[in-house]
Amino acid sequence: MELQVTTLDGKADGSVTLKDDIFGLEVRQDILHRMVRYQQLKAMRGTHKVKHRAEIAYTSKKSVKQKGSGGARHGAKHAPQFRGGGRAFGPEVRSHAIDLPKKVRALALKHALSSKAKSGELIVVSSVATKEAKTASLRETFGKLEWANALIIDGAVVDVNFALAARNIPQIDVLPVQGINVADILRRHKLVLTKAALEALEARFA
């Protein structure tokens, strides 16, 4: 698959040939769904916690006499049925993460890249390096390129000026190639790869 390379000025800068085993797969929604669910559950903090019966600082003395009250034979006030008592079956601090094989995770990334290539939402630029960290000028550039909602992936190190200028633009995400992931790819309408990022991805799956 051949794709035109452009610059930030919107000019043509040659072309690249995308590998079919990375960008030309028949997209499987089930694999993408499993990967997104894996990422979301792994990101959950799981710090929700309630106090159970044993953690309530109440007296253990019986609330009423065993006989003669005409009511139930209640014991300690920290039981779940009393106001202020411990909660029964409440949430505990735990990890929500699930297991997903490494090969499935790698395959999911290939399917996410293939989905963008198949829908025509994959863009390759020669470089995103800019001379000045000016948000206004970069917003104008994105407007001309029609990058209103995009994930931009640079090489191992993101150009500092570009990252500073782009961080205040809504619906624009900038990541180094090590941080590329399925959830962010699917969250944005367009995927923009620099030549350095493309070479790193192809080397990663080689």
Side-chain angles (χ1 to χ4, degrees):
M1 179 181 177
E2 194 164 316
L3 198 65
Q4 190 77 28
V5 180
T6 62
T7 63
L8 284 180
D9 297 328
K11 299 177 182 178
D13 190 18
S15 61
V16 291
T17 301
L18 303 179
K19 293 186 177 180
D20 290 337
D21 59 343
I22 302 175
F23 297 93
L25 301 178
E26 192 65 34
V27 181
R28 284 184 54 181
Q29 298 296 332
D30 60 322
I31 292 180
L32 294 178
H33 175 267
R34 288 177 65 188
M35 185 60 193
V36 171
R37 183 170 177 266
Y38 167 82
Q39 286 187 245
Q40 290 176 337
L41 290 177
K42 192 173 182 180
M44 289 180 68
R45 297 183 66 183
T47 54
H48 45 4
K49 175 74 172 70
V50 296
K51 286 189 175 182
H52 297 284
R53 179 171 182 161
E55 298 168 310
I56 298 296
Y58 263 151
T59 178
S60 59
K61 181 182 177 181
K62 286 176 64 68
S63 55
V64 293
K65 295 187 349 181
Q66 176 77 2
K67 294 180 179 295
S69 68
R73 301 167 182 177
H74 283 306
K77 293 287 285 185
H78 54 239
Q81 65 265 34
F82 293 117
R83 180 176 180 178
R87 183 172 168 186
F89 309 115
E92 292 278 2
V93 176
R94 68 185 180 93
S95 171
H96 293 270
I98 59 174
D99 291 330
L100 193 64
K102 190 174 182 180
K103 288 184 178 180
V104 177
R105 284 181 269 155
L107 184 61
L109 182 56
K110 290 182 181 180
H111 279 275
L113 296 170
S114 297
S115 69
K116 290 298 181 184
K118 189 174 182 180
S119 61
E121 295 171 344
L122 176 63
I123 301 167
V124 179
V125 294
S126 53
S127 174
V128 292
T130 55
K131 295 180 180 179
E132 294 180 312
K134 297 291 186 181
T135 300
S137 60
L138 192 60
R139 187 186 288 112
E140 184 179 347
T141 299
F142 288 169
K144 293 178 182 178
L145 295 171
E146 297 181 352
W147 295 358
N149 190 310
L151 171 64
I152 302 169
I153 305 295
D154 201 357
V157 179
V158 179
D159 180 70
V160 177
N161 289 336
F162 183 82
L164 290 174
R167 67 182 179 179
N168 286 331
I169 302 177
Q171 298 183 339
I172 296 292
D173 295 329
V174 180
L175 291 174
V177 69
Q178 304 96 312
I180 190 170
N181 63 88
V182 174
D184 281 339
I185 291 175
L186 299 180
R187 192 162 62 98
R188 296 302 178 199
H189 294 167
K190 293 186 178 180
L191 174 63
V192 181
L193 300 177
T194 63
K195 277 187 174 180
L198 185 61
E199 291 171 1
L201 283 172
E202 290 180 347
R204 175 176 174 177
F205 292 120

